[in-house]
Amino acid sequence: DAGITQSPRHKVTETGTPVTLRCHQTENHRYMYWYRQDPGHGLRLIHYSYGVKDTDKGEVSDGYSVSRSKTEDFLLTLESATSSQTSVYFCAISDRTSGRSGNEQFFGPGTRLTVL
Amino acid sequence: GEDVEQSLFLSVREGDSSVINCTYTDSSSTYLYWYKQEPGAGLQLLTYIFSNMDMKQDQRLTVLLNKKDKHLSLRIADTQTGDSAIYFCAESIRARGDYKLSFGAGTTVTVRA
């Protein structure tokens, strides 16, 4: 998966608890993204980063925060998890300097999060 | 994904051709992508097409783009059991000075013997 790992791969937690998901890349790509995947919705962008300490919101950012203190790591935090945040979370990276394929993104293996 | 629409399911017999259709809304999209997701895995880029092209062929895959109708299709020739997966169409759109991908909901392709 293009040198992208996500941890944990599976997590079960309770409503109201904080949760942090980690994405780690070894490709030195500038752009990193967090998506959630839900049946019937495809992938929806939560937050993304265009450099260290530079982040912006996606279309479903409420209830999530992110941090990027190093090029290789992008953290997604659910401050107080809710059952509606039960989903599969994917991290993606993009170089975008290739010019060959625009915004081609490479995806990690995903984290399945269940909030009880 | 509301800007990109796909049918949700497709069943095809092994050896036949599969055609997955997608419509998008942003006429300024420069690139359009097809991703494949196998069970329990992340998304893998299958192919892409630049907006100034109307067709691209890559081995068993053929992508057709109709810019006038904002319609994209993926044809898989000689469909195999290993082609069973979810296929996502995505468009690259410019938003707030940056490029982002907007995904469809995905088409689940089931290949039957």
Side-chain angles (χ1 to χ4, degrees):
Chain A
D1 288 317
I4 310 169
T5 56
Q6 293 185 232
S7 59
R9 293 293 313 279
H10 299 89
K11 185 169 182 67
V12 179
T13 191
E14 293 187 349
T15 298
T17 59
V19 176
T20 295
L21 308 183
R22 180 181 182 237
C23 177
H24 179 77
Q25 60 144 330
T26 58
E27 305 296 320
N28 201 36
H29 282 3
R30 178 182 173 190
Y31 297 87
M32 298 186 75
Y33 309 81
W34 276 108
Y35 292 90
R36 59 178 290 172
Q37 182 182 21
D38 304 289
H41 289 281
L43 274 78
R44 292 180 291 176
L45 182 65
I46 305 171
H47 281 280
Y48 71 103
S49 170
Y50 46 96
V52 173
K53 293 188 168 50
D54 291 323
T55 65
D56 203 353
K57 296 179 180 180
E59 62 180 297
V60 290
S61 59
D62 288 348
Y64 301 95
S65 62
V66 290
S67 66
R68 190 161 177 209
S69 58
K70 297 185 289 185
T71 299
E72 56 267 35
D73 289 324
F74 192 32
L75 303 180
L76 176 71
T77 297
L78 291 66
E79 301 290 347
S80 177
T82 67
S83 58
S84 65
Q85 293 176 311
T86 292
S87 187
V88 181
Y89 291 85
F90 287 100
C91 173
I93 65 175
S94 174
D95 185 358
R96 216 184 291 176
T97 57
S98 66
R100 180 178 63 85
S101 59
N103 191 23
E104 176 180 340
Q105 294 180 16
F106 302 94
F107 284 81
T111 294
R112 184 172 293 275
L113 176 67
T114 302
V115 183
L116 302 175
Chain B
E2 291 162 2
D3 295 333
V4 180
E5 294 189 355
Q6 308 175 233
S7 53
L8 293 183
F9 301 99
L10 176 67
S11 178
V12 62
R13 194 159 42 198
E14 189 175 9
D16 287 353
S17 291
S18 310
V19 179
I20 308 166
N21 294 301
C22 168
T23 57
Y24 62 97
T25 57
D26 193 324
S27 58
S28 64
S29 292
T30 51
Y31 288 93
L32 295 126
Y33 304 86
W34 284 103
Y35 281 85
K36 176 184 180 183
Q37 184 183 32
E38 296 182 355
L43 277 69
Q44 170 194 3
L45 180 68
L46 267 186
T47 187
Y48 65 93
I49 188 166
F50 188 50
S51 59
N52 69 351
M53 300 167 65
D54 53 19
M55 186 181 92
K56 180 179 180 182
Q57 188 146 5
D58 185 0
Q59 299 182 340
R60 292 191 297 122
L61 305 178
T62 303
V63 179
L64 295 178
L65 175 61
N66 180 330
K67 280 198 73 175
K68 175 175 166 289
D69 295 337
K70 299 192 187 69
H71 183 266
L72 183 73
S73 68
L74 174 69
R75 178 177 180 268
I76 306 173
D78 186 25
T79 309
Q80 304 298 308
T81 54
D83 295 323
S84 291
I86 304 175
Y87 291 81
F88 292 93
C89 167
E91 61 173 343
S92 181
I93 57 174
R94 191 166 178 85
R96 298 200 294 212
D98 200 359
Y99 288 97
K100 297 182 181 61
L101 290 187
S102 179
F103 287 85
T107 300
T108 299
V109 173
T110 303
V111 181
R112 59 188 193 277

